[in-house]
């Protein structure tokens, strides 16, 4: 600015005017935030969501499973949910920010936010925060809450000291953070991981460690910082106006007034220096905020418990801090040029019955006179963390099976001793004759599906080797006492989903059914769905990912076909993935689960608002990974292309204008 003063004072004045109105962005990530739930809470009479939750609660809690099962240690208290279903309306002090958001900016909120499979935080949080995909160069490389790296002979489980390895693992894959991409701007991080190169940062793990005992610890630190910056921003804007007025006077001052010009230029140089220093103390160009608490407490108390949805619950607490944040930006005077974006990494579903599949498997093997060497790398949900020696982790050579569970809704098995080598993931055919001892083999897929059929929704295993370009996966599950084998294959952008063992359409993913949590489909929607069912399932040609997504959006399993088609893009995504039925939890002690594929888990909030966001119609189903690229494109004006420069998801900025 000082260099421009002498040569082009008017250009400098124009720059300051533009700079003071430059675009800003706020990116908010909330663990466990579901769009369907939030819309139901702000407008209880708008659809069947809450009534369906209560109806399912009554039905599922009265089941009498034949298998030996436990129940969660805590029974949720849901008085407020019943009150909402009975009386509907809520007062002005309940979710005021979200009510205003849906009233003013509903079109900017996706009708369904898609959490990638498995619907687990460690997988989805870096996707939301950076816009990177899981696989490929520039991806996160993190497919689940745990995995086995067969090239390094190292198992990772990220509830414990392995959490410290997350950023190193992602960085080693070339994943770029928003702070990397925006390192020339003024940036601030509040309590989020993947913050390397942030100009100012409040540590995520410190907040997680202290935030439960000292409630609002991280939120207070962040808002206090922003409040100070808002005051500096107001002073900065006044300085800009004053400097521009003096620049105008300087520009108009005749050359013959040599000493007056020199004196004013010296004064302006000093003010420009002060302006630059003050700008460092003012509001950031880009702010990233992470709030973990709705998920954190919903596991232990239940996703629809009073502790989560009541006026004293975590969602109303979140609403309060969002309102405070909104006020700071309005007070600072930069709200008109700020684009806001928020996403959840998944939703949550209730657990009524618990089961440990490894115990079932061990009993079944014992009955057959077989003993495998099994290593469990995870804690059960509700238990404490695990500590792994990072310098000398235990070797997995000689282990037949590694097992790990995630958040109650996903259970991963890594089988070794493939005919093609220890480092290679076994395929379905190999697992049907898995060597258990000399001269004897077992069909491990059938064993798991048969023994777990009462609690298992379906399991997924590689039918063929998987790459980013092609893959085939087999789904196995029971429906009405009959085993169903189905296959999803993708090649050259075309995805096929077909039954392998029966005539007619596949049914494990329930594409023909309607979502009971959403309003009934209109006649137009029903007609469109029928056409898509005939197109995608009625022939061997298959459909594009977009067509499958449109079809699945009208079913109880959003984006199921596409997500499962890409489950094994990353080799470390396990050998067999088990997904339990609605109401069941694998390896859990608590009443809230996610990581599975039920609608309540799959539905994640993603939305945009602020004056720069003025979509003409409501956003449809949208990956929560589109949050970061949309805000990046708004800030920089640079076009985002999926597959280029580390971007794994598209920007939807054009849909907001």
């Amino acid at each position: 600015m000082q260099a421009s003063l002498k040569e082009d004072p008017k250009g400098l004045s124009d720059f300051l005017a533009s700079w003071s109105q430059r675009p800003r962005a706020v990116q908010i990530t909330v663990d466990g935030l579901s769009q369907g739930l939030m819309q139901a809470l702000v407008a209880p009479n708008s659809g069947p969501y809450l009534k369906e939750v209560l109806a399912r609660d009554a039905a599922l809690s009265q089941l009498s499973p034949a298998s030996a099962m436990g129940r969660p240690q805590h029974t949720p208290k849901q008085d407020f949910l019943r009150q909402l279903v009975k009386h509907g309306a809520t007062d002005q002090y309940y979710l005021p920010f979200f009510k205003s958001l849906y009233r003013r900016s509903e079109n900017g909120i996706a009708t369904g936010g898609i959490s990638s499979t498995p619907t687990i935080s460690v997988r989805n949080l870096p996707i939301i925060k950076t816009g990177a995909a899981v696989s490929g160069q520039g991806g996160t490389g993190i497919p689940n809450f745990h995995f086995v790296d067969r090239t390094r002979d190292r198992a990772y489980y990220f509830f414990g000291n392995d959490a410290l390895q997350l950023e190193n693992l992602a960085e080693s894959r070339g994943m770029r953070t928003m702070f990397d991409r925006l390192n020339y701007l003024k940036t601030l991080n509040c309590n989020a991981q993947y913050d390397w190169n942030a100009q100012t940062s409040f540590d995520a793990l410190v907040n997680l460690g202290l935030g439960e005992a000292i409630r609002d610890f991280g939120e207070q630190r962040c808002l206090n910082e922003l409040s100070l910056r808002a005051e500096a921003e107001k002073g900065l804007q006044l300085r800009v106006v004053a400097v521009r007025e003096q620049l105008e006077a300087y520009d108009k001052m005749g050359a013959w007034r040599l000493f007056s010009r020199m004196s004013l230029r010296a004064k302006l140089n000093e003010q420009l220096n002060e302006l630059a220093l003050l700008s460092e103390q003012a509001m950031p160009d880009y702010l990233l905020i992470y709030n973990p608490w709705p998920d954190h407490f919903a596991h232990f108390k239940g996703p629809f418990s009073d502790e989560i949805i009541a006026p004293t619950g975590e969602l109303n607490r979140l609403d309060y801090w969002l309102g405070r944040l909104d006020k700071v930006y309005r007070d600072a005077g930069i709200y008109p040029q700020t684009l806001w974006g928020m996403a959840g990494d998944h939703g949550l579903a209730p657990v009524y019955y618990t089961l440990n599949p490894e115990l079932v498997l061990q009993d079944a093997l014992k009955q057959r006179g077989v003993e495998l060497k099994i290593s469990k790398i995870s804690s059960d949900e509700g238990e404490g963390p695990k500590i792994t020696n990072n310098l000398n982790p235990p070797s997995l050579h000689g282990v037949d099976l590694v097992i790990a569970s995630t958040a109650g809704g996903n259970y991963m098995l890594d089988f070794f001793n493939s005919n093609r080598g220890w480092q290679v993931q076994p395929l379905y055919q190999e697992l049907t004759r898995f060597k258990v001892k000399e001269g004897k083999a077992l069909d491990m897929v059938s064993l798991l599906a048969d023994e777990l059929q009462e609690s298992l929704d379906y399991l997924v295993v590689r039918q063929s080797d998987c790459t980013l370009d092609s893959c085939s996966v087999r789904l196995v599950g029971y429906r009405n006492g009959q085993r169903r084998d189905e296959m999803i294959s993708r090649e050259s952008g075309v995805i096929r989903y077909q039954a392998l063992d029966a005539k007619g359409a596949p049914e494990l993913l329930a594409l023909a059914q309607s979502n009971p949590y959403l309003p009934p489909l209109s006649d137009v929607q029903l007609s469109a769905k029928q056409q898509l069912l005939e197109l995608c399932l009625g022939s061997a040609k298959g459909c594009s990912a977009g067509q499958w997504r449109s079809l699945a959006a009208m079913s109880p399993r959003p984006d199921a076909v596409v997500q499962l088609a890409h489950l094994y893009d990353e080799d470390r995504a396990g050998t067999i993935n088990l997904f339990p039925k609605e109401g069941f939890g694998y390896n859990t002690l608590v009443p809230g689960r996610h990581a599975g594929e039920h609608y309540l888990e799959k539905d994640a909030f993603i939305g945009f608002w602020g004056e720069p966001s003025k979509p003409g119609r409501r956003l449809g189903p949208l990956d929560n990974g589109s949050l970061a690229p949309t805000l990046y494109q708004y800030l920089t004006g640079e076009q985002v292309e999926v597959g280029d420069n580390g971007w794994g998801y598209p920007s939807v900025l054009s849909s907001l204008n």
Side-chain angles (χ1 to χ4, degrees):
M1 291 190 291
Q2 289 171 336
S4 301
L5 173 60
K6 186 176 181 179
E7 301 296 330
D8 187 11
K10 186 179 186 307
L12 175 57
S13 178
D14 291 343
F15 163 74
L16 287 173
S18 174
W19 177 76
S20 65
Q21 297 299 314
R22 68 192 183 280
R24 316 284 185 109
V26 177
Q27 181 174 344
I28 305 165
T29 303
V30 182
D31 214 317
L33 188 65
S34 164
Q35 194 287 132
L37 174 59
M38 295 314 302
Q39 184 156 349
L41 292 177
V42 300
N45 297 322
S46 62
Y49 190 105
L50 299 180
K51 291 181 180 178
E52 185 65 22
V53 168
L54 271 186
R56 297 275 175 139
D57 180 83
L60 290 169
S61 62
Q62 298 303 315
L63 291 178
S64 299
S67 306
M69 296 189 188
R71 285 183 178 262
Q73 293 177 346
H74 174 76
T75 300
K77 185 178 180 182
Q78 299 182 147
D79 293 343
F80 187 70
L81 173 61
R82 293 184 178 86
Q83 178 183 324
L84 281 177
V85 171
K86 185 175 181 179
H87 300 292
T90 55
D91 64 37
Q92 60 181 319
Y93 303 107
Y94 182 66
L95 299 176
F97 178 83
F98 276 100
K99 286 177 180 176
S100 174
L101 180 62
Y102 275 91
R103 184 173 63 251
R104 293 181 290 107
S105 305
E106 186 176 41
N107 281 358
I109 301 171
T111 54
I114 296 169
S115 173
S116 75
T117 298
T119 56
I120 183 66
S121 301
V122 163
R123 175 187 174 97
N124 280 284
L125 286 176
I127 289 173
I128 295 171
K129 293 169 184 173
T130 70
V134 169
S135 303
Q137 182 62 30
T140 71
I142 302 170
N144 208 321
F145 211 91
H146 37 60
F147 58 75
V148 176
D149 187 333
R150 297 180 182 224
T151 61
R152 293 189 60 194
D153 186 17
R154 166 75 150 93
Y156 292 88
Y157 174 60
F158 299 111
F159 184 45
N161 65 320
D162 276 353
L164 300 174
Q165 304 303 317
L166 281 167
E167 294 192 352
N168 295 333
L169 288 166
E171 193 172 22
S172 69
R173 284 294 188 95
M175 186 192 82
R176 300 186 67 193
T177 73
M178 287 288 276
F179 302 106
D180 292 328
R181 298 179 183 279
L182 302 171
N183 60 4
Y184 59 93
L185 296 180
K186 187 169 48 183
T187 59
L188 173 63
N189 170 60
C190 286
N191 311 317
Q193 282 185 290
Y194 312 103
D195 61 334
W196 58 82
N197 285 334
Q199 187 184 48
T200 305
S201 187
F202 294 105
D203 187 79
L205 297 180
V206 170
N207 181 52
L208 282 171
L210 292 175
E212 183 177 350
I214 308 173
R215 290 314 315 271
D216 306 320
F217 171 78
E219 290 78 9
Q220 289 187 56
R221 291 199 306 166
C222 179
L223 264 294
N224 287 343
E225 172 74 14
L226 286 168
S227 296
L228 293 172
R229 287 173 174 262
E231 289 301 314
E233 182 72 37
K234 288 188 284 187
L236 178 65
Q237 297 296 340
L238 291 174
R239 288 284 187 95
V240 168
V241 172
V243 169
R244 291 190 66 216
E245 290 175 351
Q246 293 184 53
L247 281 170
E248 184 179 1
Y250 177 80
D251 190 38
K252 291 179 179 179
M253 192 174 290
W256 58 273
R257 299 178 62 184
L258 178 61
F259 292 106
S260 296
R261 283 177 63 85
M262 290 177 61
S263 176
L264 183 54
R265 186 164 68 242
K267 183 179 180 181
L268 278 167
N269 273 319
E270 182 180 344
Q271 290 180 336
L272 290 172
N273 189 58
E274 292 174 355
L275 204 64
L277 291 173
L278 186 58
S279 73
E280 293 302 305
Q281 304 166 29
M283 294 291 282
D285 298 297
Y286 168 76
L287 169 65
L288 173 63
I289 293 180
Y290 171 58
N291 184 305
W293 307 121
D295 165 84
H296 183 90
F297 290 99
H299 278 290
F300 293 89
K301 301 298 182 180
F304 306 110
S305 66
D306 292 349
E307 290 89 345
I308 304 302
I309 70 171
T312 55
E314 293 305 315
L315 292 177
N316 213 30
R317 185 186 293 268
L318 168 68
D319 186 278
Y320 168 79
W321 288 110
L322 291 175
R324 284 279 305 275
L325 180 63
D326 179 270
K327 186 176 186 301
V328 166
Y329 272 76
R330 292 181 187 275
D331 290 346
I334 60 172
Y335 192 89
Q337 64 256 38
T338 302
L339 179 61
W340 299 70
M342 181 166 65
D345 57 341
H346 54 73
L348 288 106
V351 172
Y352 302 92
Y353 308 98
T354 64
L355 182 71
N356 287 30
E358 71 271 19
L359 300 181
V360 175
L361 176 61
Q362 288 171 354
D363 286 345
L365 291 173
K366 186 176 180 180
Q367 292 172 13
R368 291 163 175 79
V370 171
E371 184 175 348
L372 296 181
K373 187 173 182 180
I374 300 175
S375 176
K376 183 176 182 179
I377 63 173
S378 65
S379 305
D380 291 347
E381 188 67 26
E383 291 183 340
K386 282 199 169 186
I387 304 300
T388 301
N389 189 320
N390 186 46
L391 299 178
N392 187 29
S395 173
L396 298 173
H397 280 282
V399 173
D400 298 302
L401 173 62
V402 168
I403 58 175
S405 57
T406 298
N410 170 256
Y411 189 97
M412 190 184 77
L413 302 97
D414 255 289
F415 286 89
F416 295 89
N417 306 320
S418 166
N419 295 331
R420 297 177 296 163
W422 188 87
Q423 292 184 336
V424 180
Q425 286 282 3
L427 304 180
Y428 169 75
Q429 289 298 336
E430 291 179 287
L431 294 169
T432 60
R433 42 184 190 274
F434 186 77
K435 296 176 183 177
V436 292
K437 58 183 180 181
E438 192 65 34
K440 187 171 183 179
L442 280 180
D443 183 344
M444 300 304 294
V445 176
S446 294
L447 183 65
L448 287 164
D450 293 348
E451 295 293 331
L452 295 170
Q453 67 173 280
E454 187 174 26
S455 63
L456 180 69
D457 198 4
Y458 49 80
L459 64 79
V460 188
V461 61
R462 294 172 182 82
Q463 183 77 15
S464 67
D465 290 319
C466 292
T467 68
L468 294 177
D469 298 318
S470 64
C471 184
S472 295
V473 301
R474 178 181 286 245
L475 281 64
V476 180
Y478 277 80
R479 294 295 183 269
N480 300 317
Q482 298 295 315
R483 173 170 162 168
R484 300 299 308 265
D485 283 58
E486 300 171 358
M487 187 168 72
I488 301 173
S489 59
R490 57 178 175 82
E491 185 81 39
S492 302
V494 176
I495 300 175
R496 298 173 178 84
Y497 175 37
Q498 60 194 98
L500 295 177
D501 59 344
K503 295 181 179 179
E507 61 181 54
L508 288 177
L509 298 184
L511 291 176
Q513 298 178 21
S514 296
N515 189 337
Y517 293 90
L518 300 181
L521 298 176
S522 67
D523 290 342
V524 172
Q525 290 173 316
L526 285 170
S527 176
K529 181 173 182 177
Q530 186 58 40
Q531 291 178 21
L532 285 169
L533 284 169
E534 293 173 1
L535 176 66
C536 298
L537 297 178
S539 71
K541 293 182 178 180
C543 279
S544 68
Q547 289 170 318
W548 283 113
R549 173 165 292 184
S550 296
L551 173 57
M554 295 181 280
S555 81
R557 303 183 187 279
D559 210 33
V561 174
V562 176
Q563 293 295 320
L564 292 175
H566 289 277
L567 177 63
Y568 293 114
D569 285 1
E570 176 63 46
D571 188 61
R572 299 183 293 191
T575 308
I576 295 178
N577 278 267
L578 309 179
F579 295 100
K581 289 180 180 177
E582 180 184 4
F584 293 85
Y586 284 159
N587 289 66
T588 183
L589 308 174
V590 295
R593 85 170 209 202
H594 56 88
E597 294 303 287
H598 188 265
Y599 166 74
L600 296 179
E601 302 162 286
K602 196 73 180 172
D603 179 52
F605 185 101
I606 176 169
F608 302 91
W609 68 93
E611 294 187 24
S613 174
K614 298 178 180 178
R617 59 181 181 179
R618 189 162 183 186
L619 296 177
L622 184 64
D623 285 294
N624 52 14
S626 285
L627 181 68
T630 302
L631 297 176
Y632 175 84
Q633 187 170 328
Y634 171 73
L635 280 174
T636 66
E638 297 178 20
Q639 194 72 27
V640 170
E641 297 291 341
V642 176
D644 290 345
N645 199 25
W647 292 115
Y649 294 86
S651 164
V652 294
L653 186 64
S654 60
S655 299
L656 301 180
N657 299 325

